[in-house]
């Protein structure tokens, strides 16, 4: 099998919701020395994206969506165990949470991990985070950047709620606010007055570096 075949096989096993075989295939690929991030992005997450599309088009239902999420998380945890933690964190302080009402956290965890690896001190505020909690924590932890993650049309308004609260409290210039997740886009970022948007974890790192002047 070629490298591309092995990655494609992982994608297929994720799409077909075969948890046991998917985890074994990920483990084997890791043991054979494949790049962990390649296995993650092009294998596991590519499969999860197809599951989301099938759910969106009515081919898969909520149980399949949940199984897909669980098996992707199990694979992601295995892969992340191969990526070293960052010891020295001096590039800035970054807070990230899923906005109020939003329970999607797989993308958020990847962003946190990559930003931590890039040398930032990171704090995970978790999921379903009320807008004022982002602000309270930013003050408490002396954050540089607040990251807002949202995946639903229904939770998109909370991006601007956080920004508006900051503005009302006279704190808008104290923190950079960046947005991400499927509910976001560059245009949205621009229109709500965020400091930036990024489509994935590597570009989130580049965005933070740019905002911090690194
Ligand atoms: C997995 C999943 C779930 C899981 C979540 C499990 C978990 N622990 O996270 C479960 C089963 C719980 C779930 C529930 C629901 N889901 Co859902 N879910 C998904 C799915 C398939 C994948 C999301 C995901 O984790 N992707 C993996 C990540 C790694 O991919 P990614 O987005 O590329 O991640 C990158 C970027 O987003 C970015 N990023 C993320 N956050 C941030 C933050 C910042 C600051 C930055 C800069 C970047 C950034 O970096 C990430 C890493 O590279 C999506 C489909 C999709 N296309 O996204 C639907 C999807 C988001 N869900 C959807 C829906 C409808 C729901 C439910 C309402 C279903 C229901 N009827 O109950 C509930 C809502 C729950 C809630 N209140 O939040 C819809 C949303 C539709 C809409 N437009 O509103 C989608 C799009 C599916 C679809 N096609 O219909 N879901």
């Amino acid at each position: 099998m070629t490298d591309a075949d092995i990655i494609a096989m992982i994608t297929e096993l994720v799409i077909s919701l075969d948890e046991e075989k998917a985890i074994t295939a990920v483990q084997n690929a890791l043991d054979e020395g494949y790049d962990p991030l390649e296995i993650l992005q092009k294998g596991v997450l590519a499969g999860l994206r197809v599951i989301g599309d099938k759910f969106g088009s009515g081919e898969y239902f909520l149980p399949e969506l949940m199984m897909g999420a669980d098996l992707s998380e199990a694979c992601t945890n295995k892969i992340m165990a191969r990526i070293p933690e960052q010891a020295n964190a001096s590039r800035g302080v970054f807070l990230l949470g899923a906005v109020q009402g939003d329970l999607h956290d797989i993308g958020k965890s990847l962003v946190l991990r990559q930003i931590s690896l890039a040398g930032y001190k990171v704090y995970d505020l978790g999921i379903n985070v009320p807008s004022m909690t982002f602000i309270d924590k930013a003050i408490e932890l002396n954050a540089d950047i607040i990251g807002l993650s949202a995946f639903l049309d229904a939770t998109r308004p909370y991006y601007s709620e956080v920004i508006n609260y900051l503005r009302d409290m006279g704190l808008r210039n104290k923190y950079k606010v960046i947005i991400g997740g499927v509910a976001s886009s560059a245009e949205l970022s621009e229109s709500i007055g965020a400091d930036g948007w990024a489509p994935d974890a590597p570009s989130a790192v580049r965005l933070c570096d740019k905002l911090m002047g690194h």
Side-chain angles (χ1 to χ4, degrees):
M1 260 203 241
T2 67
D3 292 8
D5 288 342
I6 288 176
I7 301 285
M9 182 180 80
I10 291 173
T11 308
E12 279 310 316
L13 289 169
V14 171
I15 297 170
S16 57
L17 302 170
D18 194 333
E19 173 148 8
E20 215 171 293
K21 283 195 186 147
I23 292 176
T24 307
V26 165
Q27 188 64 55
N28 289 341
L30 288 168
D31 291 345
E32 281 165 30
Y34 286 92
D35 176 7
L37 285 176
E38 184 109 334
I39 302 174
L40 180 65
Q41 296 290 353
K42 296 195 179 150
V44 177
L45 297 181
L48 182 59
R49 220 160 283 134
V50 175
I51 292 174
D53 292 345
K54 286 182 183 285
F55 175 76
S57 66
E59 190 181 333
Y60 276 179
F61 296 97
L62 193 55
E64 282 96 357
L65 186 65
M66 290 171 75
M67 279 168 70
D70 286 350
L71 91 80
S72 300
E73 265 192 292
C75 293
T76 304
N77 289 340
K78 273 208 177 300
I79 295 166
M80 286 306 182
R82 298 290 178 104
I83 301 172
E85 295 279 353
Q86 178 79 19
N88 170 22
S90 57
R91 289 174 89 80
V93 178
F94 178 74
L95 307 186
L96 181 60
V99 300
Q100 184 159 344
D102 210 300
L103 308 179
H104 294 85
D105 71 351
I106 303 175
K108 174 176 74 61
S109 301
L110 294 177
V111 171
L112 273 174
R113 184 67 176 224
Q114 294 266 112
I115 290 189
S116 161
L117 284 170
Y120 289 80
K121 180 135 195 63
V122 301
Y123 292 94
D124 184 0
L125 302 187
I127 51 176
N128 188 19
V129 180
S131 299
M132 266 313 293
T133 303
F134 282 100
I135 298 173
D136 291 342
K137 285 286 172 189
I139 295 168
E140 179 190 325
L141 300 165
N142 203 14
D144 297 300
I145 304 174
I146 302 174
L148 307 173
S149 182
F151 278 71
L152 301 171
D153 291 345
T155 56
R156 184 182 293 126
Y158 292 105
Y159 291 129
S160 26
E161 187 170 272
V162 175
I163 292 172
N164 291 339
Y165 283 176
L166 282 170
R167 203 171 283 134
D168 292 347
M169 293 168 78
L171 294 171
R172 181 61 190 94
N173 293 330
K174 195 164 165 21
Y175 307 104
K176 301 291 183 196
V177 180
I178 66 171
I179 66 169
V182 172
S184 62
S185 62
E187 294 72 35
L188 180 73
S189 166
E190 176 92 32
S191 72
I192 64 175
D195 295 295
W197 164 83
D200 54 31
S203 31
V205 171
R206 288 192 291 275
L207 175 61
C208 288
D209 283 349
K210 190 177 111 204
L211 292 172
M212 296 296 294
H214 294 312

